[in-house]
Amino acid sequence: MSQAAKQDANEPTRTGLSRGALKRAVLDNLFYVMGRFPEVASASDRYSAVAYTVRDRLLERWIRTARYYKERNSRTVCYLSAEYLPGPHLLNNMLNLGITRTAGEVARELGADLAEIRETEEEPGLGNGGLGRLAACYMDSLATLQIPAIGYGIRYEFGIFDQVIVDGWQVEKGDTWLRNGNPWEIPRPKLTFPVGFGGRAEHYTDKHGVIRRRWLPDLMVNGVAYDTPIMGYGVTNGNLLRLWKSEAPESFNFQAFNVGDYYGAVHAKIEAETLSKVLYPNDEPVAGKELRLKQQYFFVSCSLQDMIRLQLRNAGTLDRFHEKYAIQLNDTHPALAIVELMRLLVDEHFMSWEQAWEITRNSCHFTNHTLLPEALETWPVALFERLLPRHLEILYEINRRFLDEVRVHFLNDEERVARMSLIDESDGRKVRMAHLAAVGSRAINGVAELHSSLLKTTIMRDFHDLWPERFHNVTNGVTPRRFMVVSNPPLADLISDTCGHADWIRDMRRLRELEAHADDAGLQGRWREVKTAAKGALSDWLGQHTGFRPDPETLFDVQAKRIHEYKRQHLNLLHIVWLYEHLKQNPNAELTPRTFIFGGKAAPGYFMAKLIIRLIHAIGEVINSDPQVNGFLRVAFMPDFNVKNGQRLYPAADLSEQISLAGKEASGTGNMKFAMNGTLTIGTLDGANIELRDEVGHDNFYLFGMTAEEVQQRQAEGYRPWELYHGDAQLRSAVDLIASGLFSHGDTELFRPITENLIHSDPFMVLADFHAYQERQQEVDRAYRDPNHWTRMSILNTARIGKFSSDRAIAEYAKKIWQIEPAPVELAD
Ligand code: NTF
């Protein structure tokens, strides 16, 4: 018997992991699921056949987990998030099952190439940026740490738009991620919940003669569950990502149909289905759109009904709901959960207000992700009332009781009462979602130390005065599985080789073992080879997709994230323009050849962000075609920055730009992904940069710029950017060069909104930090010329990045916030 056949014979189930079992399954799936024989299969057919093969193996583990959790009635985390950005599933799932290598061999034996199969996969772009990606990292770590968890969200039919660049402008294209089907999800048509909208609330007398209140909605929509398994790394546990799709209740169009109103019947169906059609593509600023409020209520209501169903099935009563579930609200988007849970408990399950509030407030926990005032969600009371009349009544009652508590705590302070109210009365009446989330939650946390402490002194100050014990910090983390092992296998292998084990993948603090080798010439050489190869691969990709192939020998200086003024891509650009001028005037200047690479999407309605993308391209066009500077300076833009493309970028970067104005970036997580891949950071004392710098060592981080405190002080004194502009010749000439039309074929109008804004208002203090930034960049320039020194710093960044694993973050949530224990699942029965 051959080796493979022997292994097969030992495998009891059809979901074996041996080469033979995998090969047979791929061929079977190609034939029976895709209906193809190998000779005519397309790349997409091959991808699906492999994906179904992997999925079958996940399901086995996943179902065992579900059964085990059910039997144990385990305490469960319910992560409520309007966004998830899981990235491509295939390789991640192979890694978690431990079959990456075998699957590669099987693909080869079948005459296919795993790399090609992998390229075919569409990623679910069900989020905008950091917040959605964080939710996906946390799902990964919850499973890996064997914590029972369900991620609840929305199954958007169209996720974040695809970005294409036309004449230097961003053009948005609809995202059709479901076009070829989605092998990772399992529809659960039986698991459907009704969700109401509109109508009115009324009194009625129940069968015991008690007068009660109830809601009579005038529109009903169904939420149907779609489940995606989320496996842990190297464990049997698999958790559940449960996303809701909206549908029209089947029965409801018949009446209209029968009276001949065919159009009316179909229209109502379309209206219902619109709910989960498309993700709002705004990152920080919030679109106060009715549909968005509907989406929020829709997914929150389905999720809570699902939890209640499970609890009634397991316990028969809801009295201990809060002991069973720890609900985590990912920002304010799901904050309606607090009101909806009250409504379900009081109106539908006839619980007393007091008991229902006790349960609600002990179930919910709230994470804040931004201090930007324009991102704080509020809803006009009139809109809220029209869509959710009964919820508004409940919200008023929560508010009435809450404000009484405030009055008792702070005697004679009606100004404070007005500031803290769930209703903002100052400018039209609005519901304040952050206040709702704070009042209804046991714990409130920020996402980096600086952010958590600013929360307490700025937007949540009054709440901190009232309930200091509810405030926590949990610094963000990202998963090393996706951002090291899946994106950068050669680096992962080199690390495992050097440390003599692969345990760091699960215990990132063990990366510290690399430190002892940081000066080792052998490791340094191999480390550089890995980086250079990644740069080559990125260059090839950019060459294919943009026509410009950067030279991998140059320093790759990367800023990849959403385009936003507070993130200051324009500070980076001003420096590039300054460098350009400097080079033109000093052709013999000693300079490290550099390629500046940008990536990121702009919200479609955000004019300045779109103009910044145009400016990046405009500057690139002039600089890249100027032979006088070509050897030293180039600018590239990676179109359609998403998880998949990010995976090409992080391994290839030498320098990572984390240059937001201090106090604005809640945490940032790109900073962590770059540093894991041995990228050095140039950054401000903002968000998690501060902790990152403390971890990797101040000598291995390029710090510049004002502190958050200095920013506040400067603003209080009155910030006058025009004085900086007039007082600094280099700065002025960089701004003027943009205004001159050099980068816009003589058009002096095109970029005027950017230059005028910088000179006259500069809300993110680009000019104030310019000088410090430029000086630090010169230091980077010099340091890169000493490869051994640079490589040592690079190794130390990776070696000391352990804190920023999402495993650490989830362990902290489990202990400090949720009080939940791991529940390891064994594969054998
Ligand atoms: C983002 N917030 C922050 O801007 C990032 O700094 C942070 O890393 C991520 O959250 C994750 O915590 C948002 O996207 C939002 F929606 F809150 F504005």
Side-chain angles (χ1 to χ4, degrees):
M1 224 196 287
S2 75
Q3 184 62 26
K6 265 191 228 151
Q7 262 181 9
D8 287 358
N10 292 332
E11 280 181 329
T13 63
R14 63 177 280 269
T15 52
L17 301 178
S18 69
R19 199 153 78 186
L22 287 173
K23 187 170 170 182
R24 221 173 27 243
V26 172
L27 289 171
D28 260 14
N29 285 329
L30 193 59
F31 194 87
Y32 291 109
V33 181
M34 306 314 295
R36 296 276 182 185
F37 51 90
E39 293 79 354
V40 301
S42 65
S44 152
D45 294 327
R46 281 193 290 275
Y47 161 71
S48 297
V50 174
Y52 280 112
T53 302
V54 173
R55 187 184 96 164
D56 285 345
R57 279 137 189 89
L58 299 183
L59 284 187
E60 153 117 45
R61 287 155 180 80
W62 188 44
I63 289 164
R64 274 178 208 281
T65 308
R67 186 194 297 161
Y68 180 75
Y69 290 170
K70 179 169 180 282
E71 282 162 6
R72 274 186 42 143
N73 195 20
S74 311
R75 180 160 164 79
T76 302
V77 175
C78 293
Y79 200 81
L80 261 55
S81 179
E83 302 190 7
Y84 289 92
L85 277 175
H89 288 294
L90 181 65
L91 255 81
N92 201 248
N93 282 330
M94 284 182 177
L95 170 70
N96 288 347
L97 286 171
I99 56 170
T100 319
R101 208 149 282 172
T102 325
E105 289 164 12
V106 168
R108 258 192 309 281
E109 281 175 30
L110 293 172
D113 173 13
L114 203 54
E116 179 218 59
I117 291 174
R118 165 186 193 176
E119 283 304 312
T120 318
E121 181 168 2
E122 296 258 3
E123 74 174 70
L126 311 182
N128 276 286
L131 173 130
R133 180 55 230 178
L134 188 79
C137 283
Y138 284 179
M139 289 306 293
D140 176 279
S141 285
L142 281 161
T144 300
L145 296 188
Q146 305 182 299
I147 295 174
I150 307 176
Y152 284 110
I154 301 174
R155 181 181 177 275
Y156 301 107
E157 187 178 331
F158 299 99
I160 188 69
F161 60 86
D162 291 341
Q163 178 193 56
V164 289
I165 302 295
V166 180
D167 298 333
W169 293 100
Q170 166 176 296
V171 172
E172 300 90 25
K173 275 183 34 191
D175 154 56
T176 51
W177 71 291
L178 291 170
R179 184 180 40 201
N180 296 324
N182 173 9
W184 304 107
E185 71 182 4
I186 298 167
R188 304 273 190 211
K190 286 260 156 60
L191 212 57
T192 292
F193 295 101
V195 179
F197 290 97
R200 61 193 167 86
E202 65 165 23
H203 284 299
Y204 72 102
T205 309
D206 73 7
K207 58 178 189 251
H208 309 292
V210 180
I211 297 177
R212 302 191 152 277
R213 198 110 179 111
R214 70 180 164 202
W215 177 27
L216 301 172
D218 62 11
L219 172 72
M220 295 306 294
V221 172
N222 278 343
V224 183
Y226 281 70
D227 289 350
T228 302
I230 306 289
M231 291 305 297
Y233 170 75
V235 295
T236 306
N237 293 56
N239 282 332
L240 173 61
L241 178 62
R242 177 161 283 171
L243 304 179
W244 303 103
K245 173 178 192 283
S246 64
E247 287 185 355
E250 227 174 304
S251 58
F252 111 107
N253 47 22
F254 280 115
Q255 217 174 355
F257 188 71
N258 286 341
V259 297
D261 184 11
Y262 179 73
Y263 183 82
V266 175
H267 181 74
K269 186 169 164 61
I270 289 170
E271 200 179 307
E273 285 170 2
T274 301
L275 267 185
S276 60
K277 224 5 131 195
V278 58
L279 165 80
Y280 276 97
N282 303 314
D283 195 25
E284 300 271 349
V286 173
K289 292 280 170 13
E290 173 170 341
L291 182 59
R292 191 175 157 105
L293 181 59
K294 281 182 158 177
Q295 288 183 334
Q296 295 182 351
Y297 176 62
F298 164 73
F299 98 87
V300 150
S301 176
C302 293
S303 311
L304 287 168
Q305 291 184 66
D306 193 35
M307 288 175 227
I308 286 179
R309 171 190 69 95
L310 287 167
Q311 179 64 355
L312 284 176
R313 192 184 70 188
N314 292 339
T317 144
L318 297 176
D319 292 355
R320 318 194 111 192
F321 182 90
H322 55 294
E323 290 171 20
K324 166 78 181 175
Y325 293 115
I327 298 174
Q328 191 66 37
L329 307 174
N330 199 24
D331 215 87
T332 54
H333 319 145
L336 278 172
I338 291 158
V339 190
E340 173 69 351
L341 184 53
M342 285 301 287
R343 187 189 70 83
L344 290 166
L345 294 177
V346 173
D347 289 6
E348 309 218 335
H349 295 275
F350 311 116
M351 203 177 265
S352 71
W353 180 279
E354 288 71 21
Q355 190 189 359
W357 184 246
E358 190 61 23
I359 288 175
T360 300
R361 229 190 44 73
N362 280 305
S363 304
C364 296
H365 313 80
F366 166 49
T367 306
N368 169 285
H369 293 268
T370 179
L371 301 170
L372 292 194
E374 68 266 33
L376 292 175
E377 281 194 301
T378 59
W379 296 104
V381 168
L383 168 65
F384 199 104
E385 182 166 32
R386 184 158 52 75
L387 288 181
L388 302 167
R390 177 61 184 139
H391 294 79
L392 187 65
E393 292 179 354
I394 294 171
L395 186 114
Y396 280 155
E397 180 60 15
I398 295 173
N399 199 31
R400 189 182 69 75
R401 290 169 184 246
F402 163 58
L403 294 182
D404 280 348
E405 191 181 333
V406 175
R407 286 194 182 92
V408 170
H409 203 275
F410 304 96
L411 299 180
N412 257 324
D413 192 351
E414 279 305 304
E415 257 177 49
R416 183 187 292 265
V417 171
R419 281 202 309 269
M420 296 184 79
S421 171
L422 302 189
I423 307 293
D424 178 357
E425 310 271 357
S426 63
D427 168 29
R429 303 186 70 230
K430 295 204 179 101
V431 180
R432 292 168 165 149
M433 300 302 272
H435 292 202
L436 171 62
V439 170
S441 294
R442 264 180 77 223
I444 301 164
N445 77 284
V447 291
E449 271 166 26
L450 173 70
H451 169 64
S452 295
S453 71
L454 288 174
L455 256 189
K456 296 191 234 171
T457 55
T458 60
I459 56 170
M460 288 276 137
R461 183 187 186 136
D462 293 321
F463 289 88
H464 182 253
D465 287 347
L466 181 60
W467 298 312
E469 71 288 352
R470 284 197 205 174
F471 284 75
H472 301 266
N473 172 59
V474 183
T475 299
N476 283 168
V478 302
T479 168
R481 269 74 66 186
R482 179 166 298 273
F483 292 107
M484 297 182 78
V485 189
V486 170
S487 347
N488 200 348
L491 185 71
D493 289 344
L494 178 55
I495 293 171
S496 300
D497 236 38
T498 309
C499 298
H501 60 79
D503 295 346
W504 59 273
I505 300 171
R506 199 200 304 266
D507 181 3
M508 283 275 281
R509 298 278 182 180
R510 294 197 63 184
L511 281 175
R512 288 263 174 185
E513 293 165 29
L514 277 175
E515 264 191 49
H517 309 272
D519 289 307
D520 181 272
L523 175 64
Q524 288 196 356
R526 291 171 74 193
W527 196 268
R528 275 195 293 274
E529 274 167 32
V530 167
K531 183 61 84 182
T532 308
K535 288 164 80 172
L538 174 65
S539 289
D540 291 343
W541 189 92
L542 285 169
Q544 276 165 25
H545 290 81
T546 70
F548 169 52
R549 187 185 181 283
D551 177 357
E553 294 296 318
T554 62
L555 187 165
F556 278 14
D557 176 332
V558 184
Q559 186 170 16
K561 48 183 79 243
R562 284 299 282 250
I563 311 290
H564 204 297
E565 287 163 282
Y566 87 79
K567 296 179 188 277
R568 302 201 293 191
Q569 280 90 358
H570 46 346
L571 173 57
N572 191 340
L573 287 173
L574 269 186
H575 170 246
I576 295 173
V577 171
W578 171 79
L579 262 182
Y580 177 57
E581 272 198 296
H582 180 70
L583 264 175
K584 297 285 276 189
Q585 286 157 5
N586 308 279
N588 298 321
E590 212 188 322
L591 213 66
T592 301
R594 237 198 251 218
T595 305
F596 292 89
I597 303 173
F598 292 84
K601 296 177 184 178
Y606 186 176
F607 169 75
M608 283 294 251
K610 291 178 116 171
L611 197 57
I612 288 173
I613 293 181
R614 182 69 191 85
L615 181 58
I616 295 170
H617 285 90
I619 291 173
E621 211 179 292
V622 169
I623 289 182
N624 294 354
S625 56
D626 185 341
Q628 251 187 311
V629 302
N630 266 190
F632 295 99
L633 195 55
R634 298 279 196 158
V635 179
F637 188 92
M638 171 189 256
D640 206 33
F641 177 61
N642 53 16
V643 179
K644 192 174 178 180
N645 287 333
Q647 290 177 201
R648 308 177 206 279
L649 220 36
Y650 302 118
D654 295 305
L655 187 69
S656 137
E657 300 268 352
Q658 307 299 336
I659 60 178
S660 53
L661 176 64
K664 298 292 176 192
E665 188 73 271
S667 161
T669 44
N671 44 8
M672 304 166 188
K673 296 164 198 169
F674 281 111
M676 282 182 176
N677 286 279
T679 306
L680 273 71
T681 305
I682 183 163
T684 47
L685 284 177
D686 199 13
N689 290 354
I690 301 175
E691 292 156 75
L692 194 139
R693 173 170 169 264
D694 287 344
E695 288 292 306
V696 303
H698 294 194
D699 295 344
N700 305 307
F701 184 106
Y702 291 93
L703 174 71
F704 76 97
M706 292 178 286
T707 62
E709 222 170 299
E710 286 162 353
V711 167
Q712 276 177 4
Q713 215 176 328
R714 194 83 184 252
Q715 267 157 355
E717 288 164 3
Y719 175 56
R720 293 178 293 279
W722 54 92
E723 288 177 1
L724 293 167
Y725 168 79
H726 290 296
D728 180 336
Q730 295 186 343
L731 177 57
R732 187 170 64 246
S733 105
V735 176
D736 286 353
L737 203 58
I738 296 173
S740 74
L742 171 68
F743 302 113
S744 40
H745 307 283
D747 181 349
T748 53
E749 287 303 307
L750 183 60
F751 298 120
R752 194 195 279 274
I754 294 176
T755 52
E756 292 288 298
N757 182 270
L758 284 177
I759 298 169
H760 299 297
S761 119
D762 193 17
F764 301 104
M765 300 176 132
V766 171
L767 303 196
D769 274 343
F770 177 77
H771 194 65
Y773 179 58
Q774 182 198 33
E775 282 194 335
R776 267 305 197 219
Q777 284 286 22
Q778 287 172 3
E779 240 178 85
V780 170
D781 196 274
R782 284 192 291 273
Y784 194 74
R785 275 177 255 158
D786 178 350
N788 293 348
H789 172 57
W790 184 273
T791 307
R792 178 175 189 278
M793 293 195 289
S794 166
I795 295 172
L796 289 179
N797 264 265
T798 303
R800 298 173 177 173
I801 202 65
K803 170 174 175 185
F804 302 99
S805 165
S806 43
D807 296 346
R808 186 271 313 150
I810 285 299
E812 276 185 39
Y813 276 101
K815 193 160 174 232
K816 292 202 274 203
I817 313 257
W818 303 324
Q819 283 92 45
I820 194 167
E821 298 286 327
V825 178
E826 302 298 328
L827 190 53
D829 268 323

